[in-house]
Amino acid sequence: MVVPDMLKGAVFEGCEIQPHAHRSQVYSLDPTCFHDLNLAGTGEMGVAGYFMDHAVNWKDLPVMPVCSSPCYRAETDTGRETWGLYRVHHFNKVEMFVVTADETGEESSQMPEEFLSLQKEISSLELHYRKGQCVCLVPRSPVRGWR
């Protein structure tokens, strides 16, 4: 799945991130030119934005899209001051995402282990991985891989 580099504030808020908060790590574009647009901090925000207003047929669940996207994170030079050098961290990521029915409460809780097994399957690429926490839509434990 291809996701946009720029997202509206409502997508960030749906992922429990406040794009216009004081000392936000979100890089907001000039509001005089681009009303309410921010650079995506992670690909999963674009996928979450797609599913915010997209109905999924019950029989098609779970939906497990994968996206590759550039990611942008802003911060001050020390992380403590509100003034100083302002830089944008830019990197690319491949991310897995899942939408489940979660009728029994087990469907979503099984997905982190399934993602981990998928990561192990591609171990021939010699990727390192670890499990982590994300806050997008609902807390879960995604797999983080790097080379």
Side-chain angles (χ1 to χ4, degrees), residues 112-130:
E113 291 306 316
E114 180 153 347
F115 283 174
L116 184 59
S117 69
L118 289 170
Q119 182 71 34
K120 288 177 180 177
E121 282 183 36
I122 59 171
S123 62
S124 63
L125 298 175
E126 298 181 9
L127 297 174
H128 303 280
Y129 63 88
R130 69 180 170 92

Side-chain angles (χ1 to χ4, degrees), residues 24-92:
S24 173
Q25 285 195 339
V26 175
Y27 188 76
S28 296
L29 301 178
D30 182 354
T32 60
C33 298
F34 305 99
H35 177 69
D36 194 31
L37 282 178
N38 310 281
L39 292 178
T42 180
E44 70 185 344
M45 288 182 194
V47 179
Y50 173 79
F51 286 105
M52 281 174 62
D53 297 319
H54 180 84
V56 178
N57 193 322
W58 193 269
K59 66 180 168 86
D60 295 331
L61 295 173
V63 177
M64 298 176 68
V66 174
C67 71
S68 174
S69 66
C71 303
Y72 306 91
R73 308 258 172 89
E75 63 181 47
T76 60
D77 61 337
T78 65
R80 290 175 296 202
E81 295 128 8
T82 57
W83 57 273
L85 289 177
Y86 197 70
R87 62 184 180 210
V88 176
H89 296 277
H90 172 238
F91 53 94
N92 292 303

